[in-house]
Amino acid sequence: MTRDPQVTSRIMSAVRHTGTRPEMALRRELHKRGLRFRVSTNLVGKPDIVFGPARVACFVDGDRWHGNGWRTRGYKSFEDEFRHANSDFWMKKISRNMQRDAQVTQALTDAGWQVIRVWASDVERDVVSAADRVEFAVRSRREGTDR
């Protein structure tokens, strides 16, 4: 069954790019710990959470769109997830996303930022552990800059 492209476009335009449930849960947990951050910046890649003074940029990556969907859906490999109609399109799209993620991470790292990437599924499963990772990075970087 082929879906009308206009219907697909409408569905895809409803997918949130920011303020997702996992992102909001992580932000609440970090705020509860006394960490203050920005959510709207003009940094390359548009990180979801930015700790300016510590120079830590955090991305909450959706599993499906950033190449981890095969793990969360129980497939044996990235390629196995795409054994369906229009699979070439989706494999190329998600592969491009993964490549872009790597380029963004490298650009921010080269500019002196520490990049933390957490999977949305990890945040949903255990927001405390995800927040621990981010908090450790932020507090470590702050201590390093205070000397």
Side-chain angles (χ1 to χ4, degrees), residues 34-54:
L35 296 172
R36 300 302 177 253
F37 47 82
R38 301 239 182 253
V39 294
S40 177
T41 68
N42 58 359
L43 284 175
V44 64
K46 297 188 172 132
D48 299 306
I49 304 169
V50 176
F51 300 89

mmCIF file of all heavy atoms in Angstrom, residues 34-54:
data_model
loop_
_atom_site.group_PDB
_atom_site.id
_atom_site.type_symbol
_atom_site.label_atom_id
_atom_site.label_comp_id
_atom_site.label_asym_id
_atom_site.label_seq_id
_atom_site.Cartn_x
_atom_site.Cartn_y
_atom_site.Cartn_z
ATOM 1 N N GLY A 34 19.951 21.626 40.241
ATOM 2 C CA GLY A 34 20.566 22.937 40.360
ATOM 3 C C GLY A 34 21.387 23.362 39.156
ATOM 4 O O GLY A 34 22.076 24.375 39.199
ATOM 5 N N LEU A 35 21.326 22.604 38.082
ATOM 6 C CA LEU A 35 22.066 22.963 36.870
ATOM 7 C C LEU A 35 21.220 23.900 36.017
ATOM 8 O O LEU A 35 20.041 23.645 35.793
ATOM 9 C CB LEU A 35 22.430 21.709 36.078
ATOM 10 C CG LEU A 35 23.380 20.740 36.772
ATOM 11 C CD1 LEU A 35 23.514 19.456 35.977
ATOM 12 C CD2 LEU A 35 24.740 21.383 36.966
ATOM 13 N N ARG A 36 21.819 24.955 35.551
ATOM 14 C CA ARG A 36 21.119 25.919 34.710
ATOM 15 C C ARG A 36 21.715 25.875 33.318
ATOM 16 O O ARG A 36 22.921 25.730 33.140
ATOM 17 C CB ARG A 36 21.214 27.334 35.304
ATOM 18 C CG ARG A 36 20.593 27.437 36.706
ATOM 19 C CD ARG A 36 19.116 27.025 36.680
ATOM 20 N NE ARG A 36 18.502 27.051 37.993
ATOM 21 C CZ ARG A 36 18.181 25.970 38.696
ATOM 22 N NH1 ARG A 36 18.448 24.773 38.227
ATOM 23 N NH2 ARG A 36 17.611 26.079 39.870
ATOM 24 N N PHE A 37 20.860 26.031 32.324
ATOM 25 C CA PHE A 37 21.266 25.804 30.943
ATOM 26 C C PHE A 37 20.421 26.651 30.009
ATOM 27 O O PHE A 37 19.450 27.272 30.418
ATOM 28 C CB PHE A 37 21.105 24.320 30.591
ATOM 29 C CG PHE A 37 19.778 23.746 31.018
ATOM 30 C CD1 PHE A 37 18.641 23.907 30.247
ATOM 31 C CD2 PHE A 37 19.674 23.073 32.227
ATOM 32 C CE1 PHE A 37 17.423 23.394 30.666
ATOM 33 C CE2 PHE A 37 18.456 22.555 32.645
ATOM 34 C CZ PHE A 37 17.337 22.717 31.860
ATOM 35 N N ARG A 38 20.793 26.634 28.766
ATOM 36 C CA ARG A 38 20.029 27.289 27.697
ATOM 37 C C ARG A 38 19.478 26.205 26.778
ATOM 38 O O ARG A 38 20.093 25.159 26.608
ATOM 39 C CB ARG A 38 20.911 28.226 26.893
ATOM 40 C CG ARG A 38 21.537 29.321 27.721
ATOM 41 C CD ARG A 38 21.141 30.665 27.194
ATOM 42 N NE ARG A 38 21.777 31.708 27.963
ATOM 43 C CZ ARG A 38 21.128 32.464 28.822
ATOM 44 N NH1 ARG A 38 19.860 32.282 29.026
ATOM 45 N NH2 ARG A 38 21.745 33.421 29.470
ATOM 46 N N VAL A 39 18.335 26.489 26.174
ATOM 47 C CA VAL A 39 17.758 25.534 25.240
ATOM 48 C C VAL A 39 17.688 26.095 23.828
ATOM 49 O O VAL A 39 17.418 25.364 22.896
ATOM 50 C CB VAL A 39 16.352 25.064 25.687
ATOM 51 C CG1 VAL A 39 16.455 24.257 26.968
ATOM 52 C CG2 VAL A 39 15.409 26.232 25.860
ATOM 53 N N SER A 40 17.947 27.344 23.675
ATOM 54 C CA SER A 40 17.892 27.953 22.348
ATOM 55 C C SER A 40 19.222 28.643 22.087
ATOM 56 O O SER A 40 19.523 29.660 22.715
ATOM 57 C CB SER A 40 16.745 28.959 22.281
ATOM 58 O OG SER A 40 16.729 29.587 21.031
ATOM 59 N N THR A 41 20.006 28.083 21.192
ATOM 60 C CA THR A 41 21.307 28.669 20.880
ATOM 61 C C THR A 41 21.516 28.637 19.373
ATOM 62 O O THR A 41 20.770 27.991 18.642
ATOM 63 C CB THR A 41 22.458 27.894 21.542
ATOM 64 O OG1 THR A 41 22.550 26.618 20.932
ATOM 65 C CG2 THR A 41 22.262 27.756 23.037
ATOM 66 N N ASN A 42 22.541 29.317 18.949
ATOM 67 C CA ASN A 42 22.875 29.289 17.526
ATOM 68 C C ASN A 42 24.130 28.452 17.276
ATOM 69 O O ASN A 42 24.790 28.619 16.265
ATOM 70 C CB ASN A 42 23.050 30.714 16.991
ATOM 71 C CG ASN A 42 24.125 31.476 17.734
ATOM 72 O OD1 ASN A 42 24.734 30.959 18.661
ATOM 73 N ND2 ASN A 42 24.361 32.712 17.329
ATOM 74 N N LEU A 43 24.436 27.542 18.201
ATOM 75 C CA LEU A 43 25.571 26.642 17.987
ATOM 76 C C LEU A 43 25.289 25.706 16.818
ATOM 77 O O LEU A 43 24.132 25.361 16.561
ATOM 78 C CB LEU A 43 25.826 25.796 19.235
ATOM 79 C CG LEU A 43 26.504 26.473 20.410
ATOM 80 C CD1 LEU A 43 26.563 25.525 21.601
ATOM 81 C CD2 LEU A 43 27.899 26.922 20.033
ATOM 82 N N VAL A 44 26.340 25.259 16.180
ATOM 83 C CA VAL A 44 26.204 24.312 15.084
ATOM 84 C C VAL A 44 25.480 23.060 15.579
ATOM 85 O O VAL A 44 25.737 22.580 16.679
ATOM 86 C CB VAL A 44 27.578 23.963 14.467
ATOM 87 C CG1 VAL A 44 28.463 23.249 15.460
ATOM 88 C CG2 VAL A 44 27.426 23.136 13.213
ATOM 89 N N GLY A 45 24.541 22.570 14.809
ATOM 90 C CA GLY A 45 23.790 21.377 15.173
ATOM 91 C C GLY A 45 22.618 21.621 16.096
ATOM 92 O O GLY A 45 21.851 20.713 16.372
ATOM 93 N N LYS A 46 22.503 22.819 16.644
ATOM 94 C CA LYS A 46 21.423 23.187 17.557
ATOM 95 C C LYS A 46 21.228 22.171 18.686
ATOM 96 O O LYS A 46 20.228 21.447 18.734
ATOM 97 C CB LYS A 46 20.122 23.393 16.794
ATOM 98 C CG LYS A 46 20.223 24.531 15.818
ATOM 99 C CD LYS A 46 18.891 24.865 15.211
ATOM 100 C CE LYS A 46 19.069 26.135 14.420
ATOM 101 N NZ LYS A 46 18.548 26.124 13.115
ATOM 102 N N PRO A 47 22.194 22.103 19.607
ATOM 103 C CA PRO A 47 22.064 21.169 20.735
ATOM 104 C C PRO A 47 20.768 21.426 21.504
ATOM 105 O O PRO A 47 20.262 22.547 21.537
ATOM 106 C CB PRO A 47 23.280 21.490 21.609
ATOM 107 C CG PRO A 47 24.212 22.259 20.743
ATOM 108 C CD PRO A 47 23.393 22.926 19.697
ATOM 109 N N ASP A 48 20.251 20.385 22.135
ATOM 110 C CA ASP A 48 19.009 20.502 22.892
ATOM 111 C C ASP A 48 19.201 21.230 24.208
ATOM 112 O O ASP A 48 18.314 21.952 24.665
ATOM 113 C CB ASP A 48 18.424 19.107 23.153
ATOM 114 C CG ASP A 48 18.090 18.384 21.862
ATOM 115 O OD1 ASP A 48 17.349 18.973 21.037
ATOM 116 O OD2 ASP A 48 18.568 17.266 21.655
ATOM 117 N N ILE A 49 20.351 21.003 24.853
ATOM 118 C CA ILE A 49 20.643 21.613 26.145
ATOM 119 C C ILE A 49 22.088 22.101 26.106
ATOM 120 O O ILE A 49 22.993 21.340 25.748
ATOM 121 C CB ILE A 49 20.465 20.587 27.287
ATOM 122 C CG1 ILE A 49 19.060 19.978 27.250
ATOM 123 C CG2 ILE A 49 20.737 21.225 28.646
ATOM 124 C CD1 ILE A 49 18.873 18.774 28.151
ATOM 125 N N VAL A 50 22.304 23.372 26.475
ATOM 126 C CA VAL A 50 23.639 23.958 26.393
ATOM 127 C C VAL A 50 24.025 24.574 27.742
ATOM 128 O O VAL A 50 23.267 25.360 28.309
ATOM 129 C CB VAL A 50 23.703 25.042 25.295
ATOM 130 C CG1 VAL A 50 25.058 25.725 25.273
ATOM 131 C CG2 VAL A 50 23.387 24.436 23.933
ATOM 132 N N PHE A 51 25.205 24.185 28.217
ATOM 133 C CA PHE A 51 25.783 24.751 29.424
ATOM 134 C C PHE A 51 26.945 25.626 28.977
ATOM 135 O O PHE A 51 28.063 25.129 28.798
ATOM 136 C CB PHE A 51 26.261 23.638 30.364
ATOM 137 C CG PHE A 51 25.154 22.720 30.796
ATOM 138 C CD1 PHE A 51 24.835 21.599 30.043
ATOM 139 C CD2 PHE A 51 24.431 22.972 31.950
ATOM 140 C CE1 PHE A 51 23.815 20.750 30.428
ATOM 141 C CE2 PHE A 51 23.407 22.128 32.341
ATOM 142 C CZ PHE A 51 23.092 21.016 31.580
ATOM 143 N N GLY A 52 26.683 26.910 28.765
ATOM 144 C CA GLY A 52 27.657 27.819 28.177
ATOM 145 C C GLY A 52 28.973 27.929 28.909
ATOM 146 O O GLY A 52 30.031 27.687 28.327
ATOM 147 N N PRO A 53 28.951 28.300 30.197
ATOM 148 C CA PRO A 53 30.230 28.467 30.900
ATOM 149 C C PRO A 53 31.070 27.193 30.936
ATOM 150 O O PRO A 53 32.294 27.243 30.855
ATOM 151 C CB PRO A 53 29.808 28.876 32.318
ATOM 152 C CG PRO A 53 28.455 29.486 32.143
ATOM 153 C CD PRO A 53 27.811 28.718 31.017
ATOM 154 N N ALA A 54 30.440 26.048 31.029
ATOM 155 C CA ALA A 54 31.166 24.778 31.056
ATOM 156 C C ALA A 54 31.489 24.282 29.651
ATOM 157 O O ALA A 54 32.268 23.339 29.489
ATOM 158 C CB ALA A 54 30.357 23.718 31.799
#
